[in-house]
Amino acid sequence: MKPFCVKTYQGIFSGYASTYTPDAVGDQMVPGAFQKTLWAWKKKKKRFPHVYWEHDIEEPIGVCLQLKEDEKGLFIQGKLLQDFPKTKEALQSIQWGRRGLSIGFFVQGCHFNGGTRCITEVLLKEISLVKFPCNSDAVVEEIKSISSCSYDAATQGVHRAFQRLYLKINASF
């Protein structure tokens, strides 16, 4: 997995909403499965699906700016909108390493290969940030955020600053 990268805050994130690797329930997207639905979203609705928190349509947290199918899966670039109540919780979840993505969809075409359902076409309904994705490779890979260093490095820096403060306080007594 690509190291998590954090950049100057704009609320923009990117990653994979779905990949071609088998998921925890035995489904596997097949390359090309998203082509028709992406065309329909772009041409007919003039937008992409909204981004929700944990598949709850009552909890919108953002919008898709870009969706495209590539060699790895369904790539997303989205924007988290701070006006929504759950956006702060979603950002905290991402910062603490729970940065899963998931899709809500209807199967339009599939076949079975042993115990795996190979999905050849979907009707994409929504994309969600989730704490525990069914497809472990479907994750936020980057978010433009407060710091220009990785979250781990920022955490270590804060920890060192607290250690220095602790030592100064103890030295004064």
Side-chain angles (χ1 to χ4, degrees):
M1 181 182 297
K2 183 177 166 183
F4 187 56
C5 180
V6 180
K7 296 183 179 178
T8 307
Y9 183 79
Q10 296 173 15
I12 306 289
F13 70 92
S14 61
Y16 281 87
S18 181
T19 69
Y20 301 130
T21 57
D23 67 19
V25 297
D27 287 343
Q28 182 174 6
M29 296 295 174
V30 173
F34 299 101
Q35 289 304 308
K36 284 185 183 177
T37 197
L38 291 177
W39 179 87
W41 275 102
K42 191 173 181 180
K43 297 297 180 192
K44 294 180 181 177
K45 297 189 179 188
K46 308 289 187 214
R47 66 174 181 85
F48 289 122
H50 295 297
V51 178
Y52 296 98
W53 178 240
E54 298 282 351
H55 296 289
D56 185 347
I57 61 170
E58 299 293 320
E59 297 292 353
I61 58 170
V63 295
C64 292
L65 301 175
Q66 178 184 20
L67 276 177
K68 66 179 181 181
E69 193 170 11
D70 64 19
E71 67 282 344
K72 184 176 177 179
L74 183 61
F75 175 82
I76 179 176
Q77 182 180 55
K79 181 171 180 71
L80 297 177
L81 303 174
Q82 293 185 357
D83 298 339
F84 295 118
K86 287 289 182 174
T87 302
K88 183 176 180 182
E89 184 178 344
L91 279 167
Q92 288 172 336
S93 181
I94 291 168
Q95 289 173 337
W96 287 103
R98 291 192 176 106
R99 49 193 168 104
L101 287 166
S102 183
I103 58 174
F105 63 94
F106 293 111
V107 175
Q108 302 295 296
C110 70
H111 63 271
F112 287 86
N113 184 3
T116 302
R117 180 171 67 160
C118 300
I119 301 173
T120 57
E121 185 181 341
V122 298
L123 176 60
L124 183 64
K125 301 307 284 180
E126 54 90 9
I127 296 175
S128 287
L129 278 162
V130 296
K131 292 178 184 174
F132 305 103
C134 196
N135 181 328
S136 61
D137 292 334
V139 294
V140 171
E141 293 182 344
E142 181 177 71
I143 185 163
K144 294 182 181 179
S145 192
I146 295 168
S147 176
S148 61
C149 59
S150 74
Y151 181 74
D152 289 338
T155 302
Q156 291 170 0
V158 169
H159 181 72
R160 284 191 302 273
F162 275 117
Q163 283 179 324
R164 286 191 303 273
L165 180 60
Y166 177 78
L167 292 173
K168 281 183 181 181
I169 291 170
N170 283 335
S172 64
F173 287 105

